[in-house]
Amino acid sequence: MKVLRQFMFVPLILFIFACLAYAWPSVKLHGYVYNARNGLALPHVNIVINDTLGASTGLDGHFEFILPDGSYRLQVKRIGFESLSYTVNIPEDTCKVLHIDLQPAVLSMKEEITVFAERLEQDPLNPNRNKWLNNTEDIIQRFEGVNLFKRANFASEPSIRGSSMGQISITIDGAKMFYACVDRMDPITAYIEVENLEQAQLSKGSFDLEHNQTIGGSLNFVTEKADYQQSFFLESEGGYESVSALRRFRFKANYSSNNDWAIRLSGSVKKSDAYYAGKNRLIGNSGFNKNNYALSLGRKIGSKSDLHFYYIGDNAWDIGYPALIMDARKTQSHIFNLEYNAKDITPLWNRFSLKLYYNTVKHWMDDYGRSIEEIFNRDVMPGMYMPMYGTSSTSGLIMSFTIADMQNIFTGRLEYYQLAAFADMDMYPIQADKAPAYLINIADARINNAAISLKYNRILSRQSSFRLDARFDYSLRNVLNSYGKRPLQSLYPESDLQNQYHVFGISANYEYRFNDNISAVFKLGNSQRLPTHLENYGYMLYNVQDNFFYYGNPSLKPERSIQVESGINWKSNKLRWRLTTYASRINDYISGYILEGEFKKYENFSLVYLFGAEGSLSWQVTNSLIFFLSTGYTYGQNTVFNEPLPYIPPAEARLKINYTRERYFFEGEARFAASQNRIAYKTTVEDKTPGFVILNLRSQIILSSQWRLKAGIENILDRYYYEHLSINNLPGKGRNFYLGINYRIN
Amino acid sequence: MKYYIYLLVFMISIFVACNDTTSNPTDNELPSYSKLAEGFAQGTKIEIFVEKTPFVGYNRFHLAISDSASKKSISNAQITLKPIMDMGTMIHSAPYENPLSDKAENGYFSCAVVFIMSGMWQMEISFTRQDNQESGTVKVEFDVAPASLVKKVTGSDSVQYFITLVENDKWQVGMNDIEFCLHQKTSMMSFPAVENMQMSMEPWMDMGNNSGHGSPNNENPVHQTMGHYKGKVNFTMSGEWDINLDINNAFTTIASTKFVVTVE
């Protein structure tokens, strides 16, 4: 904190100087920057005016300047894109709006396998972050305020500012997809891979309701589409990690013709043995096998619209879950997406898109790989094998459009999806004279959801802008499997099984710029989140954390949250910092209530609270050296049980130093996690987690235009540690040497 | 190519609303009884119908009485039962329930017997017709098949109790109605119903090796009439379940027993 205080002193001085030099300007120049290849808004584009004044675009691709009238030379630059120069004349007392399409730079574009941006907020941790990513978790983990639930060395589940599961939304290109495993072994991030992705968008809290009704935040993955601009491109990468003897290979290739149609293929295979935690402790049964393949096809229709199809398939097998009592034997997913996009339809009507999607997941798990001793000695259901199967299929339709003029941007979205989910379980006693048993965990649950969401941005004045988000969802739910229905009817009358929800969420963002350097953001949200299909209809779901069997409750009310967030941002050429505080009051919080014995039922509880603060700072010391610091803390309290909320990550800080010079990139990172002593012991059973420090070193070296090398050491000190969110205190990886060799031609 | 089908299905699913399956109306048909035996006495014919071939447990009997000369069905008569097992060295009876009314319902006089052991049983049916005031006794014999629905337990009060699980055609996953009969033995020929006890019931799935689990939301059987106790049992999954039952008086547990049922 002492270090932080010193850095806060610097912007304060700059602020005073800026105020002295400041003269109220009379015109405004603003605009949007898009990726010419796919029409997506481009964040983090640097706009420089007359080589002196600079700004960068937000997630929506928007930038603005307040200037005296006159003529200006604009330079538009972004890593991975061709730079552009403009000269603009701004007559007196007008507002000039620009729409800029940036062409991807053929050579450097592909460095950015994934482009990271936080929605609605600038992420100071942006540059050079994607030079070593191995999987989607590496992406998520780089976001400030995001932590992961670890159950295995595979597919961790994200938590945003202490909110998780049904409280947050995870989507792929805005499409809904649902896990198939009732033990949440397969968050949907397991079914996409780094080489599929272009961007990960994070919004914390309930302030962006575009993709879902949410109270905790939303994470949307934007897939990389076939590129019309690249006639031929091929990239492949092989890698190895010492800690788990992970062997991986991935590739992506693009081919296009006449700027008219394009095809993109990508794929990867991974094989991992059991990993070692710190101090050379082998975590048995923690290996996995995985492959993923994707096809993307694009066809232009005229100059302003195109039709795009993609498919992503994923298979994984023999995945060990050391923290659980079962392992995933096999998972399989298929994602289909068909999309029509049009832009610049009329001067006002900027964009229209229509998307149809379908995805399906199948998940098999069992305990056949566990020893007889373990099966006889485990706490729950000892003495039997219990293979479980789960499946989910989601189909949906999204129609969205944007209307914008100089001061207003209006985005509307209509959405419908249907989820069908089923899960069951066999029990085979090992003792020969006992009969087998069977049960259905999800009795073909159907969720039909229709929604309308509206987003309205308005530039109120030269200093201030305003955004309003509203979303209405209608959700009709039932279970269809008559056999699986019967046990639910033992708890609820038939008439209660069918349920419908009407939920409405609204949030407002207000930003005020005091000058070019300093701005303040204030956000208010009043939103709800719908129960998940497991919370509504799950039947005898075992929770390894508290050893209870959970029953769903079809009559659950949505969780309701009122949130407030305020932040202050400072940016200059060299230095940026940001401080954010937030608070959320949640009514009808969904948690387990002890029914009797070993059974719990989901019920609503009022109230719980979440408070927190985040701070971050980036300082460009020299052209090649950047220093980053970020820290965050969340406090959660359940007033019903008078105990802390469960699964709240401890205070954390990350310190990073990036050094980039010509062909070399180095990053040194220190991650500090405080101990977490505020634990839940009534709603679930947590234990205290000691703090830790992890040091990582990463690098990339460009050997030639075709070859590059990625290498690094993670957990240099070989610390034995575990995250607070690690289920059953599953330890993190020990010292890991990794190496990747990347080859590209185009 | 399979995926084209998926896509097609997906397209269709967008336009097809989710239909609710309407549940079939419950069948109100009369159960079909099969004839077990018949006998004659005093110009009266008694036909004995059963729902199932007699077994050790709670058996319902449906008696059809007619005039053997006119073949006219008789709907008003007073009927009493007496089941007897002759074991050579001794004879004994079993708990039974005489028809509740002197009037036939749907042509039948319904009554019940709890057979407490398998083998050849004799049943004496005594009647008094109301039309001609004739009375007599019909004796029939039939075989009773073994089953494990009756438990004989000597209570801590030294009384011999017979606890009967009234048979259910199909135990289903989920909530089931459950019914027990409780009788005590006061002599070889007398097995009166016990009406003043409390029952506590716990279903348990025993998976062997000291493992297993119960279920929530069960309702302990409560006395209705004539030694019948009714409650609700919840089976969380299919398979073999134990139903553990304690018989309690106001102060203490008198007797305990266990039934095993198969849940589909």
Side-chain angles (χ1 to χ4, degrees):
Chain A
M1 289 314 283
K2 205 172 174 186
V3 178
L4 196 67
R5 212 175 297 151
Q6 280 177 0
F7 280 103
M8 282 164 70
F9 183 66
V10 176
L12 193 69
I13 294 192
L14 289 171
F15 174 71
I16 294 163
F17 272 95
C19 288
L20 289 172
Y22 203 73
W24 291 114
S26 59
V27 293
K28 178 146 116 176
L29 171 68
H30 77 112
Y32 298 88
V33 185
Y34 303 106
N35 181 341
R37 195 166 49 114
N38 56 17
L40 285 169
L42 265 186
H44 307 301
V45 178
N46 287 311
I47 320 272
V48 182
I49 292 192
N50 291 352
D51 295 323
T52 51
L53 216 55
S56 75
T57 56
L59 180 98
D60 52 0
H62 184 250
F63 65 93
E64 65 180 325
F65 290 95
I66 294 168
L67 301 162
D69 55 306
S71 178
Y72 297 95
R73 192 165 60 83
L74 244 83
Q75 283 173 291
V76 185
K77 294 182 198 167
R78 191 185 194 286
I79 299 170
F81 287 81
E82 307 275 11
S83 296
L84 280 181
S85 287
Y86 276 88
T87 303
V88 283
N89 269 306
I90 310 175
E92 213 172 317
D93 283 330
T94 56
C95 189
K96 182 97 178 172
V97 63
L98 294 172
H99 289 272
I100 302 167
D101 280 333
L102 272 196
Q103 294 291 345
V106 175
L107 246 178
S108 52
M109 173 58 204
K110 295 297 165 179
E111 271 181 36
E112 306 211 342
I113 295 165
T114 46
V115 179
F116 299 92
E118 291 202 13
R119 284 177 82 82
L120 319 176
E121 45 190 307
Q122 302 261 324
D123 179 12
L125 306 175
N126 175 40
N128 296 318
R129 52 171 28 182
N130 48 355
K131 296 202 162 148
W132 52 272
L133 300 165
N134 291 327
N135 53 46
T136 46
E137 282 150 53
D138 291 337
I139 303 171
I140 304 165
Q141 248 172 337
R142 298 228 111 190
F143 284 119
E144 183 188 300
V146 177
N147 291 77
L148 293 170
F149 283 95
K150 286 191 199 297
R151 297 179 173 84
N153 180 27
F154 184 82
S156 302
E157 184 186 354
S159 146
I160 303 172
R161 282 182 177 167
S163 295
S164 56
M165 299 173 250
Q167 294 174 323
I168 62 171
S169 150
I170 308 174
T171 48
I172 299 170
D173 287 321
K176 305 289 182 296
M177 185 167 174
F178 294 88
Y179 45 85
C181 172
V182 293
D183 289 345
R184 297 181 10 236
M185 283 178 175
D186 65 332
I188 65 167
T189 49
Y191 300 113
I192 43 178
E193 281 288 342
V194 174
E195 69 273 4
N196 305 142
L197 296 178
E198 156 133 2
Q199 198 176 64
Q201 304 172 327
L202 173 74
S203 153
K204 299 173 203 168
S206 65
F207 308 111
D208 181 358
L209 303 171
E210 182 181 349
H211 298 302
N212 227 335
Q213 289 286 352
T214 178
I215 64 172
S218 68
L219 189 54
N220 182 43
F221 291 93
V222 179
T223 63
E224 192 169 332
K225 315 291 191 307
D227 183 351
Y228 297 111
Q229 310 288 319
Q230 264 182 336
S231 58
F232 178 70
F233 172 83
L234 173 72
E235 179 181 336
S236 62
E237 185 173 307
Y240 181 80
E241 286 188 25
S242 68
V243 77
S244 60
L246 171 79
R247 286 83 77 195
R248 64 176 180 83
F249 173 79
R250 66 175 173 232
F251 81 96
K252 49 184 176 168
N254 191 84
Y255 181 76
S256 73
S257 172
N258 297 330
N259 196 13
D260 194 29
W261 63 269
I263 178 168
R264 182 183 186 276
L265 281 170
S266 67
S268 65
V269 286
K270 287 183 190 174
K271 185 172 174 57
S272 168
D273 296 344
Y275 75 94
Y276 285 85
K279 307 280 171 268
N280 229 18
R281 288 191 223 175
L282 179 68
I283 306 302
N285 188 38
S286 62
F288 67 88
N289 300 279
K290 189 174 196 283
N291 63 40
N292 183 289
Y293 35 88
L295 163 73
S296 157
L297 291 169
R299 178 87 168 88
K300 280 202 173 172
I301 305 168
S303 60
K304 289 178 176 172
S305 61
D306 79 334
L307 193 64
H308 185 263
F309 167 82
Y310 72 78
Y311 163 77
I312 301 173
D314 190 278
N315 294 292
W317 61 97
D318 295 339
I319 311 155
Y321 280 79
L324 304 182
I325 57 176
M326 288 206 263
D327 305 307
R329 194 56 53 217
K330 194 168 125 185
T331 73
Q332 211 175 62
S333 74
H334 303 285
I335 302 172
F336 301 89
N337 190 85
L338 181 66
E339 198 171 328
Y340 170 78
N341 282 302
K343 60 174 184 177
D344 300 332
I345 301 152
T346 71
L348 275 181
W349 187 3
N350 287 21
R351 195 175 298 278
F352 171 80
S353 95
L354 181 68
K355 173 207 274 283
L356 295 173
Y357 66 88
Y358 172 77
N359 58 64
T360 178
V361 183
K362 290 186 167 72
H363 187 276
W364 290 265
M365 59 176 162
D366 60 50
D367 45 5
Y368 295 145
R370 303 298 175 105
S371 70
I372 293 283
E373 290 74 29
E374 184 189 325
I375 289 177
F376 278 144
N377 292 321
R378 70 183 172 208
D379 286 342
V380 63
M381 294 191 163
M384 71 178 97
Y385 291 117
M386 38 184 185
M388 296 176 81
Y389 167 72
T391 179
S392 86
S393 301
T394 312
S395 43
L397 176 134
I398 300 171
M399 195 191 83
S400 68
F401 61 90
T402 304
I403 296 168
D405 68 3
M406 284 184 195
Q407 283 198 304
N408 306 287
I409 312 168
F410 180 81
T411 304
R413 194 173 138 112
L414 285 171
E415 168 174 0
Y416 167 78
Y417 70 86
Q418 185 190 57
L419 162 70
F422 176 85
D424 66 359
M425 172 180 185
D426 277 303
M427 285 147 278
Y428 300 118
I430 293 170
Q431 195 176 308
D433 60 340
K434 292 293 170 190
Y438 173 77
L439 74 92
I440 291 182
N441 299 100
I442 306 174
D444 202 2
R446 292 297 161 96
I447 293 182
N448 287 278
N449 205 96
I452 178 165
S453 79
L454 304 170
K455 201 183 270 294
Y456 176 61
N457 280 265
R458 186 175 165 82
I459 296 156
L460 296 170
S461 72
R462 290 164 187 151
Q463 283 87 39
S464 61
S465 61
F466 172 76
R467 209 192 76 210
L468 194 71
D469 260 56
R471 184 178 166 108
F472 173 78
D473 275 60
Y474 171 74
S475 192
L476 180 66
R477 300 165 172 219
N478 205 351
V479 278
L480 299 187
N481 183 295
S482 57
Y483 181 89
K485 240 183 197 182
R486 287 208 303 256
L488 283 173
Q489 285 163 343
S490 73
L491 298 156
Y492 312 103
E494 160 92 39
S495 56
D496 283 2
L497 292 184
Q498 181 170 320
N499 193 11
Q500 53 183 345
Y501 292 100
H502 307 86
V503 290
F504 180 68
I506 189 161
S507 72
N509 290 249
Y510 177 76
E511 184 172 2
Y512 187 82
R513 281 160 213 250
F514 296 95
N515 57 43
D516 283 347
N517 299 114
I518 192 155
S519 64
V521 183
F522 189 71
K523 303 177 184 180
L524 269 175
N526 184 351
S527 69
Q528 308 185 45
R529 73 100 173 168
L530 289 164
T532 64
H533 62 289
L534 293 183
E535 287 162 344
N536 274 142
Y537 298 118
Y539 182 72
M540 277 194 80
L541 306 175
Y542 175 62
N543 181 339
V544 72
Q545 195 87 354
D546 61 4
N547 257 327
F548 272 87
F549 289 96
Y550 278 69
Y551 288 114
N553 180 353
S555 313
L556 279 179
K557 286 179 273 182
E559 279 185 14
R560 289 179 291 134
S561 162
I562 293 176
Q563 307 190 12
V564 54
E565 180 180 319
S566 61
I568 186 151
N569 297 298
W570 163 274
K571 58 184 176 189
S572 67
N573 285 343
K574 300 270 184 203
L575 188 76
R576 285 174 164 205
W577 57 259
R578 185 178 72 187
L579 276 174
T580 307
T581 58
Y582 56 89
S584 172
R585 189 185 105 133
I586 302 171
N587 274 294
D588 293 327
Y589 175 76
I590 297 172
S591 181
Y593 174 77
I594 297 177
L595 209 54
E596 59 185 82
E598 61 213 328
F599 304 101
K600 275 188 182 179
K601 178 179 146 184
Y602 286 111
E603 286 284 3
N604 294 106
F605 298 96
S606 295
L607 306 154
V608 307
Y609 288 99
L610 277 167
F611 301 100
E614 283 161 3
S616 59
L617 179 144
S618 75
W619 179 30
Q620 182 123 26
V621 186
T622 70
N623 276 343
S624 47
L625 196 66
I626 309 174
F627 170 92
F628 302 99
L629 177 71
S630 71
T631 178
Y633 176 70
T634 307
Y635 176 96
Q637 182 73 13
N638 185 331
T639 64
V640 185
F641 295 96
N642 202 19
E643 66 168 12
L645 282 178
Y647 315 120
I648 302 290
E652 274 197 17
R654 280 169 200 258
L655 181 67
K656 276 194 269 192
I657 296 165
N658 275 9
Y659 180 81
T660 318
R661 185 143 197 191
E662 289 163 2
R663 295 160 169 267
Y664 303 98
F665 159 78
F666 294 99
E667 179 186 270
E669 180 190 36
R671 184 171 159 231
F672 307 87
S675 57
Q676 180 57 289
N677 297 321
R678 287 181 42 80
I679 53 165
Y681 45 92
K682 294 175 197 157
T683 48
T684 185
V685 184
E686 288 191 300
D687 61 354
K688 294 182 180 178
T689 305
F692 57 84
V693 180
I694 300 297
L695 300 181
N696 301 314
L697 185 66
R698 292 167 177 128
S699 71
Q700 180 177 249
I701 300 163
I702 300 171
L703 301 173
S704 71
S705 60
Q706 269 108 41
W707 293 94
R708 56 196 68 196
L709 194 72
K710 302 171 175 185
I713 316 169
E714 292 168 319
N715 194 359
I716 295 169
L717 303 175
D718 200 27
R719 282 285 155 82
Y720 183 88
Y721 73 102
Y722 52 90
E723 312 268 352
H724 184 60
L725 297 188
S726 287
I727 303 298
N728 280 345
N729 297 339
L730 182 71
K733 288 179 195 170
R735 187 185 294 129
N736 180 29
F737 295 90
Y738 73 85
L739 183 72
I741 297 168
N742 184 294
Y743 175 76
R744 59 182 71 188
I745 40 172
N746 48 16
Chain B
M1 293 313 98
K2 209 158 107 190
Y3 307 132
Y4 283 114
I5 299 169
Y6 284 147
L7 265 180
L8 190 72
V9 169
F10 158 52
M11 300 279 202
I12 292 167
S13 70
I14 290 165
F15 299 104
V16 177
C18 162
N19 285 327
D20 288 339
T21 46
T22 47
S23 56
N24 292 324
T26 47
D27 294 337
N28 281 324
E29 286 170 32
L30 286 173
S32 58
Y33 302 139
S34 58
K35 193 158 142 184
L36 175 72
E38 60 180 35
F40 296 88
Q42 310 295 334
T44 305
K45 178 185 179 187
I46 298 186
E47 291 167 283
I48 302 169
F49 290 88
V50 289
E51 294 165 18
K52 273 187 78 172
T53 322
F55 56 93
V56 174
Y58 184 81
N59 290 253
R60 290 187 186 86
F61 289 89
H62 306 280
L63 310 180
I65 304 182
S66 54
D67 190 286
S68 46
S70 70
K71 308 242 187 295
K72 251 186 170 168
S73 132
I74 288 156
S75 55
N76 287 295
Q78 201 184 346
I79 290 167
T80 55
L81 303 179
K82 192 177 179 192
I84 293 162
M85 173 157 246
D86 189 344
M87 300 179 79
T89 54
M90 59 170 203
I91 60 165
H92 66 83
S93 182
Y96 58 85
E97 293 164 3
N98 289 327
L100 287 176
S101 160
D102 292 350
K103 227 173 129 55
E105 219 172 282
N106 296 320
Y108 296 110
F109 294 87
S110 294
C111 48
V113 179
V114 177
F115 294 112
I116 55 176
M117 61 191 290
S118 59
M120 194 57 78
W121 281 77
Q122 198 181 67
M123 188 136 85
E124 293 182 8
I125 304 164
S126 304
F127 63 88
T128 307
R129 281 167 60 170
Q130 286 184 5
D131 54 344
N132 56 10
Q133 300 304 315
E134 286 283 359
S135 48
T137 299
V138 169
K139 285 185 188 176
V140 290
E141 270 197 347
F142 48 83
D143 202 34
V144 169
S148 49
L149 296 166
V150 182
K151 305 289 175 186
K152 179 171 137 185
V153 187
T154 304
S156 56
D157 52 2
S158 304
V159 174
Q160 224 174 60
Y161 291 97
F162 287 89
I163 308 163
T164 309
L165 172 61
V166 175
E167 207 213 20
N168 182 330
D169 278 347
K170 195 178 175 188
W171 296 103
Q172 294 191 328
V173 168
M175 206 51 110
N176 294 261
D177 290 327
I178 191 164
E179 184 178 349
F180 296 94
C181 298
L182 182 62
H183 296 89
Q184 66 180 63
K185 181 177 169 186
T186 51
S187 74
M188 293 302 268
M189 299 307 285
S190 170
F191 296 81
V194 180
E195 305 189 334
N196 56 351
M197 293 289 181
Q198 275 100 51
M199 289 189 176
S200 76
M201 173 184 70
E202 193 204 9
W204 184 255
M205 181 166 246
D206 181 9
M207 303 300 276
N209 305 295
N210 304 319
S211 78
H213 47 85
S215 70
N217 266 21
N218 296 288
E219 290 174 21
N220 282 327
V222 174
H223 185 251
Q224 311 293 314
T225 56
M226 302 195 315
H228 284 249
Y229 294 74
K230 284 185 181 173
K232 282 190 192 299
V233 61
N234 183 15
F235 298 119
T236 52
M237 58 185 75
S238 74
E240 220 162 70
W241 283 81
D242 294 345
I243 299 173
N244 296 307
L245 192 69
D246 285 348
I247 311 292
N248 309 311
N249 64 14
F251 310 103
T252 180
T253 299
I254 301 290
S256 297
T257 189
K258 178 178 98 175
F259 294 92
V260 179
V261 299
T262 300
V263 176
E264 288 166 31

